[in-house]
């Protein structure tokens, strides 16, 4: 049975059109994928810039409120006149030394908070260990349990987890009146588990946690992570439990200079 001219023409038309339609469809899918990826990168960069700006505001606030108020108090303690007794001068000088020690400790925190350890060279675990050692704290014990292979994770992932850990430690030192805190990082089944707690007292301050905790949430979101447990009050100690899935976001690349 022979095909008619119309049937032959129809078959030839389909044969010619099918590859064009298929190619166009594939091109559309690729275009859509590229646009989604580009939008995701733009969203990520905007989130990073927003986090950086909030951190600058917090550092400025720390310098003004913490260091500034301490130095003002020290100046007042050391303002003597001819009528002051030796006992008052000695007492105020002792208090001024104590306040100066606190100011130096706060300054160390702020400096190390600004400084991004060389993640690319010594990794996240080495950077956290170095950070804690450089604080030279006398009133608080910090326990680190870092059971993680840094080499498995990207610079982007390591830097942001490092920043989250530094923010948690900094909050405890500044606001919780704790004398002990612990931080552990472990990995299993392609996920990273962060567990953090301190033994903050009931007299702990609840002021100025907003920006720092907001930055923690932003970084967790950037890493496609989730916060399983988060303390609602700092009066009886802080508890945080987070999970990250670093291998679910491998299609996004951001240069190192954008992350510092």
């Amino acid at each position: 049975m022979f095909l008619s001219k119309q049937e032959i023409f129809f078959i030839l038309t389909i044969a010619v059109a099918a590859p064009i339609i298929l190619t166009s469809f594939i091109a559309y899918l690729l275009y859509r994928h590229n646009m989604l990826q580009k939008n995701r990168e733009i969203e990520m960069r905007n989130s990073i810039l927003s986090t950086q700006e909030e951190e600058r505001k917090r550092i400025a606030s720390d310098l003004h409120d913490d260091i500034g108020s301490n130095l003002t108090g020290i100046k007042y303690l050391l303002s003597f006149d001819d009528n002051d007794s030796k006992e008052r001068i000695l007492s105020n000088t002792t208090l001024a030394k104590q306040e100066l020690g606190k100011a130096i400790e706060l300054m160390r925190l702020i400096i190390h908070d600004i400084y991004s350890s060389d993640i690319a060279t010594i990794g996240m675990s080495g950077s956290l260990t170095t950070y804690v050692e450089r604080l030279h704290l006398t009133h608080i014990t910090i326990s680190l349990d870092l059971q993680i292979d840094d080499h498995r994770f990207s610079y982007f992932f390591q830097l942001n987890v490092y920043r989250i850990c530094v923010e948690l430690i900094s909050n405890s030192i500044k606001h919780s009146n704790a004398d002990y805190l612990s931080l552990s990082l472990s990995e299993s089944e392609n996920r990273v588990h962060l567990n953090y707690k301190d033994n903050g007292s009931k007299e702990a301050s609840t002021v100025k946690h907003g920006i720092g905790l907001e930055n923690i949430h932003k970084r967790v979101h950037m890493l496609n992570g989730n916060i399983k447990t988060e303390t609602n009050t700092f009066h009886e100690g802080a508890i945080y439990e987070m999970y990250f899935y670093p291998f679910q976001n491998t299609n996004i690349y951001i240069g190192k200079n954008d992350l510092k």
Side-chain angles (χ1 to χ4, degrees):
M1 180 179 179
F2 295 100
L3 298 175
S4 65
K5 290 182 178 181
Q6 291 82 359
E7 289 173 331
I8 293 173
F9 178 77
F10 178 73
I11 292 173
L12 290 174
T13 301
I14 293 177
V16 172
I20 297 175
I21 294 173
L22 181 59
T23 302
S24 300
F25 181 68
I26 293 174
Y28 167 74
L29 291 179
L30 290 173
Y31 171 78
R32 186 172 181 272
H33 172 76
N34 290 335
M35 288 302 297
L36 289 174
Q37 183 171 338
K38 185 174 293 185
N39 289 337
R40 172 67 174 168
E41 290 178 0
I42 292 173
E43 179 185 347
M44 187 80 73
R45 290 179 186 276
N46 288 339
S47 183
I48 290 171
L49 290 173
S50 174
T51 302
Q52 289 175 336
E53 184 62 27
E54 292 300 327
E55 285 180 341
R56 291 188 183 99
K57 290 179 181 179
R58 179 174 55 79
I59 291 169
S61 176
D62 287 345
L63 286 171
H64 178 271
D65 297 342
D66 294 336
I67 304 299
S69 62
N70 271 35
L71 294 178
T72 300
I74 292 169
K75 180 181 178 181
Y76 171 78
L77 288 171
L78 297 178
S79 298
F80 306 118
D81 55 43
D82 295 337
N83 297 323
D84 288 321
S85 64
K86 291 183 178 180
E87 290 78 11
R88 182 178 185 277
I89 293 174
L90 180 61
S91 175
N92 281 17
T93 302
T94 301
L95 289 174
K97 288 181 179 178
Q98 293 174 356
E99 290 301 313
L100 186 59
K102 292 179 182 178
I104 292 172
E105 195 167 276
L106 287 170
M107 183 61 74
R108 282 202 192 102
L109 275 175
I110 294 171
I111 291 172
H112 290 307
D113 196 22
I114 296 171
Y115 170 70
S116 291
S117 187
D118 195 353
I119 302 289
T121 303
I122 62 176
M124 174 172 56
S125 298
S127 296
L128 283 171
T129 302
T130 301
Y131 168 76
V132 170
E133 290 174 348
R134 285 176 173 170
L135 290 177
H136 302 297
L137 298 175
T138 58
H139 72 287
I140 187 168
T141 300
I142 301 178
S143 172
L144 294 179
D145 183 16
L146 308 175
Q147 301 181 30
I148 192 167
D149 182 6
D150 293 338
H151 297 93
R152 297 184 65 216
F153 308 108
S154 68
Y155 178 90
F156 176 78
F157 177 82
Q158 291 188 63
L159 178 62
N160 281 280
V161 172
Y162 169 81
R163 282 298 191 185
I164 290 170
C165 294
V166 167
E167 186 65 53
L168 291 171
I169 294 172
S170 179
N171 276 344
S172 291
I173 294 172
K174 292 179 184 177
H175 306 297
S176 72
N177 287 342
D179 58 17
Y180 176 82
L181 65 86
S182 65
L183 185 151
S184 68
L185 281 172
S186 59
E187 55 177 303
S188 63
E189 300 178 354
N190 291 324
R191 74 177 183 181
V192 173
H193 178 211
L194 188 158
N195 193 288
Y196 180 88
K197 61 179 65 175
D198 69 34
N199 66 342
S201 65
K202 291 185 178 181
E203 292 78 21
S205 169
T206 57
V207 181
K208 297 200 318 178
H209 285 280
I211 294 176
L213 293 184
E214 183 179 345
N215 284 341
I216 288 175
H217 279 266
K218 286 181 179 179
R219 292 188 187 278
V220 172
H221 175 71
M222 284 191 295
L223 297 175
N224 288 338
N226 60 72
I227 300 177
K228 182 179 180 182
T229 304
E230 179 179 15
T231 186
N232 292 319
T233 173
F234 287 81
H235 287 176
E236 296 180 358
I239 298 175
Y240 288 91
E241 187 174 9
M242 306 176 192
Y243 289 96
F244 305 99
Y245 304 88
F247 305 110
Q248 294 183 2
N249 196 27
T250 56
N251 62 325
I252 294 176
Y253 171 81
I254 297 179
K256 293 181 181 180
N257 293 333
D258 297 327
L259 305 177
K260 297 181 179 180

